[in-house]
């Protein structure tokens, strides 16, 4: 079995001692252009072709033989990630979506010498993933475990939600206090920050907002232009209304008289 393919090294594994078939993972020193990852790139190995049954605990056990591990990040595909094994994760709300099938991993050691020891080690015999001490559930046992984990205890779930909301409200309160303090204090040049909060919040001076404001002002002016603004206009309007009513009354009287003459009038 090859142990090195150019710059990539092989790491043979198998599921259990009874397994006849093996599997090969590949790893190499991680190289990145991300500024946030440059500090740890010389201490990180990039592992691909990780089988679905290889858990994070298996990776810690396999790669931990060559040095102290600082962090392990497991992803579905290669790329930048904000998740970490050192982050406080929730039992009921995982920070990332469930990883299925073959995946990749980033193993970060505490020192760069661990990577050199790993690359110099010629791994010929496959490493066992599922042992008596580190059992990997499969088949019906795995499905039962997943079923139980997907239906958490209501009291524990409520407790975690309450703790999260308390921490969230506390953090928001600190941010509001800090923002309020910065608004009240002038900067180095003597300027005071004006926020959009308050009984009459300000509006961003964008072209869209200015157009909307002009339309509203135009509609407001039209509503103010009343037709019966003066007293004589109100008197004239009343007279015209009364004359219209009298005209309609006379027309109705004439129609009734015509119907009587034609003997077609039926009052009941």
């Amino acid at each position: 079995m090859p142990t090195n393919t150019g710059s990539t090294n092989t790491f043979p594994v198998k599921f259990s001692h009874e397994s006849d078939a093996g599997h090969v993972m590949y790893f190499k020193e991680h190289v990145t252009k991300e500024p946030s990852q440059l500090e740890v790139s010389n201490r990180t190995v990039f592992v691909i072709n990780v089988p679905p049954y290889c858990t994070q605990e298996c990776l810690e056990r396999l790669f931990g033989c060559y040095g102290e591990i600082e962090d392990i990040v497991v992803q579905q595909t290669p790329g930048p990630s904000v998740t970490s094994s050192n982050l406080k994760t929730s039992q009921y709300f995982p920070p990332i979506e469930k990883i299925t099938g073959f995946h990749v991993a980033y193993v970060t050691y505490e020192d760069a010498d661990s990577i050199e020891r790993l690359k110099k080690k010629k791994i010929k015999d496959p490493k066992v993933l599922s042992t008596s001490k580190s059992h990997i559930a499969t088949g019906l046992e795995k499905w039962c475990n997943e079923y139980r984990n997907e239906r958490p205890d209501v009291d524990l779930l409520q407790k975690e939600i309450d703790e999260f909301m308390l921490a969230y409200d506390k953090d928001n309160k600190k941010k509001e206090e800090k923002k309020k303090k910065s608004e009240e204090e002038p900067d180095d040049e003597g300027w005071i920050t004006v926020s959009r909060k308050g009984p009459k919040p300000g509006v961003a001076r964008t072209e869209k907002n200015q157009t909307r404001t002009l339309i509203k002002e135009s509609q407001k002016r039209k509503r103010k232009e009343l037709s019966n603004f003066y007293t004589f206009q109100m008197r004239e309007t009343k007279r015209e209304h009364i004359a219209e009513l009298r005209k309609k009354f006379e027309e109705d009287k004439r129609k009734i008289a015509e119907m009587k003459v034609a003997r077609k009038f039926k009052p009941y």
Side-chain angles (χ1 to χ4, degrees):
M1 181 178 294
T3 58
N4 187 289
T5 56
S7 61
T8 303
N9 297 272
T10 60
F11 202 114
V13 296
K14 64 179 182 178
F15 181 76
S16 63
H17 290 285
E18 294 77 17
S19 300
D20 296 329
H23 183 79
V24 179
M25 298 188 298
Y26 300 91
F27 70 90
K28 66 176 182 178
E29 188 172 350
H30 182 45
V31 179
T32 180
K33 294 182 180 179
E34 292 289 333
S36 59
Q37 300 292 329
L38 290 176
E39 183 181 352
V40 297
S41 62
N42 63 333
R43 299 185 285 112
T44 304
V45 290
F46 173 51
V47 189
I48 63 173
N49 206 30
V50 182
Y53 48 82
C54 183
T55 63
Q56 185 166 310
E57 187 274 333
C58 293
L59 294 172
E60 292 177 0
R61 177 162 45 86
L62 296 177
F63 290 91
C65 300
Y66 307 98
E68 292 294 329
I69 293 178
E70 178 183 307
D71 188 22
I72 294 181
V73 176
V74 179
Q75 297 178 193
Q76 189 72 60
T77 56
S81 174
V82 296
T83 59
S84 170
S85 61
N86 294 331
L87 296 176
K88 184 180 179 182
T89 58
S90 168
Q91 180 182 356
Y92 311 110
F93 304 101
I96 57 175
E97 59 180 300
K98 186 177 179 181
I99 296 175
T100 58
F102 289 84
H103 49 275
V104 300
Y106 297 88
V107 181
T108 303
Y109 287 99
E110 292 185 357
D111 58 84
D113 295 335
S114 301
I115 297 181
E116 296 300 323
R117 288 193 294 269
L118 174 62
K119 291 195 295 185
K120 289 179 181 179
K121 183 69 174 180
K122 305 300 181 181
I123 306 172
K124 295 182 179 180
D125 298 328
K127 300 290 184 179
V128 179
L129 299 179
S130 180
T131 62
S132 57
K133 294 182 180 179
S134 302
H135 175 66
I136 299 176
T138 58
L140 183 61
E141 180 185 359
K142 178 185 176 183
W143 296 335
C144 291
N145 292 339
E146 291 178 351
Y147 180 86
R148 286 191 292 268
N149 294 334
E150 290 174 355
R151 287 152 181 81
D153 182 84
V154 178
D155 296 333
L156 295 177
L157 178 61
Q158 186 63 50
K159 181 181 178 182
E160 182 172 326
I161 293 174
D162 294 339
E163 291 176 353
F164 175 82
M165 292 307 301
L166 286 173
Y168 177 79
D169 293 338
K170 186 177 179 180
D171 184 55
N172 270 1
K173 188 176 180 181
K174 287 182 179 179
K175 290 180 180 178
E176 289 292 333
E177 291 175 354
K178 185 177 179 180
K179 187 176 181 181
K180 187 177 180 181
K181 187 177 179 181
S182 65
E183 291 174 355
E184 296 173 352
E185 296 180 357
D187 56 13
D188 298 336
E189 298 180 357
W191 294 93
I192 297 177
T193 304
V194 179
S195 67
R196 297 178 64 182
K197 293 188 176 181
K200 293 184 178 180
V203 180
R205 296 178 64 85
T206 60
E207 184 178 355
K208 184 178 180 181
N209 288 338
Q210 288 180 355
T211 304
R212 188 184 297 125
T213 303
L214 291 174
I215 294 173
K216 286 184 178 180
E217 290 179 355
S218 177
Q219 293 175 349
K220 192 175 181 180
R221 283 196 299 269
K222 288 181 179 179
R223 287 196 297 267
K224 284 185 177 180
E225 294 174 357
L226 302 177
S227 58
N228 298 330
F229 183 76
Y230 298 103
T231 306
F232 78 91
Q233 289 179 330
M234 296 175 64
R235 286 200 301 266
E236 290 293 333
T237 303
K238 287 181 180 179
R239 287 188 187 131
E240 291 175 359
H241 182 61
I242 292 172
E244 186 71 21
L245 291 176
R246 285 177 177 173
K247 183 178 179 181
K248 288 184 178 180
F249 178 70
E250 294 297 332
E251 289 180 356
D252 292 341
K253 283 176 63 179
R254 181 177 55 79
K255 289 180 180 179
I256 292 173
E258 291 176 355
M259 293 173 67
K260 284 182 177 180
V261 173
R263 297 176 179 246
K264 292 181 180 180
F265 177 66
K266 295 180 180 180
Y268 303 103

